[in-house]
Amino acid sequence: MENLKLFMLMLGCKPPGRHTEQHDIFFGIAASLRDLVPQIHSFWPGPQKIHIDAWREVNKVDGYEVNIVPRDNDIGQTNKLFFINLGGYQPNRFEEQHHIVLTVQQDFASASKAAKATHFFKHNHFAGANAHIDDKYGVDVDDIYLVEDILSPSQKESFRIALVPNSNLPEDAINLGYFKLDRL
């Protein structure tokens, strides 16, 4: 197995009939960003010109090293990698603000608690701006997932995410800009 990595991407495009660019978060496993292009087209099919607005090679989260191992590798871990998309509002801003959280926790309740502790959660709501508070976890969560659950079906069948305590790793680089798929 080559040196596979977990990538998190923010994809963007303007679908036909829309007035503004649409975005979605994509997780994929590959040896390089370029190797993800076929997966990206499967994830967001159609004639649109999809591009990447942000990407991150996910190597470290909450003091854990993130590794990709074969699915049949029994790693015996209780912690899991969660992706949370928080939503919130600010006065006089004609948009919903979003904040992405990656966190290593044992369950959804713990992941929600970690999301509530973020600066974003504490400061992006106000009286009169009805947030869609999730009834089960009590947090304004647009989306919360186990990262392994939102990988492509073939990747879920082939790989798992191993989390190894290691706080000595550098923080992951966040790459921002307009990245055309054909120029990766």
Side-chain angles (χ1 to χ4, degrees):
M1 182 167 90
E2 52 191 308
N3 187 22
L4 296 176
K5 304 164 193 159
L6 177 66
F7 289 89
M8 179 174 76
L9 287 66
M10 178 186 293
L11 301 176
C13 80
K14 189 166 113 181
R18 300 290 180 228
H19 300 290
T20 60
E21 184 177 328
Q22 311 292 294
H23 293 95
D24 203 349
I25 298 295
F26 167 82
F27 286 91
I29 296 170
S32 71
L33 190 61
R34 174 185 279 291
D35 293 341
L36 291 172
V37 172
Q39 294 177 48
I40 292 168
H41 286 297
S42 292
F43 175 76
W44 199 329
Q48 303 92 343
K49 291 186 178 182
I50 300 167
H51 62 274
I52 299 170
D53 282 313
W55 66 274
R56 169 184 177 182
E57 185 180 306
V58 182
N59 296 301
K60 176 184 177 183
V61 177
D62 292 343
Y64 287 84
E65 182 176 349
V66 177
N67 296 307
I68 304 303
V69 298
R71 183 54 140 177
D72 59 2
N73 187 343
D74 183 14
I75 52 180
Q77 68 185 16
T78 56
N79 286 326
K80 300 167 188 73
L81 182 60
F82 288 88
F83 160 71
I84 305 168
N85 180 28
L86 293 172
Y89 304 96
Q90 294 176 347
N92 300 314
R93 298 224 31 202
F94 192 79
E95 61 190 326
E96 180 182 9
Q97 306 295 307
H98 286 268
H99 180 69
I100 303 298
V101 176
L102 282 183
T103 187
V104 174
Q105 303 293 329
Q106 290 190 0
D107 52 35
F108 281 94
S110 298
S112 294
K113 184 177 179 182
K116 285 182 184 181
T118 65
H119 178 82
F120 179 89
F121 180 79
K122 293 176 183 177
H123 299 284
N124 279 277
H125 58 279
F126 60 97
N130 296 330
H132 34 286
I133 301 295
D134 181 271
D135 292 333
K136 187 170 184 181
Y137 301 111
V139 63
D140 188 1
V141 172
D142 281 355
D143 310 283
I144 183 169
Y145 300 99
L146 281 170
V147 172
E148 283 189 2
D149 288 349
I150 57 175
L151 293 171
S152 72
S154 65
Q155 289 191 335
K156 284 191 279 193
E157 291 173 8
S158 301
F159 307 109
R160 75 175 60 227
I161 298 170
L163 303 166
V164 180
N166 185 349
S167 59
N168 295 324
L169 293 172
E171 294 300 318
D172 292 345
I174 305 293
N175 302 277
L176 302 170
Y178 184 91
F179 302 95
K180 289 182 159 188
L181 297 184
D182 62 355
R183 294 202 179 148
L184 294 179

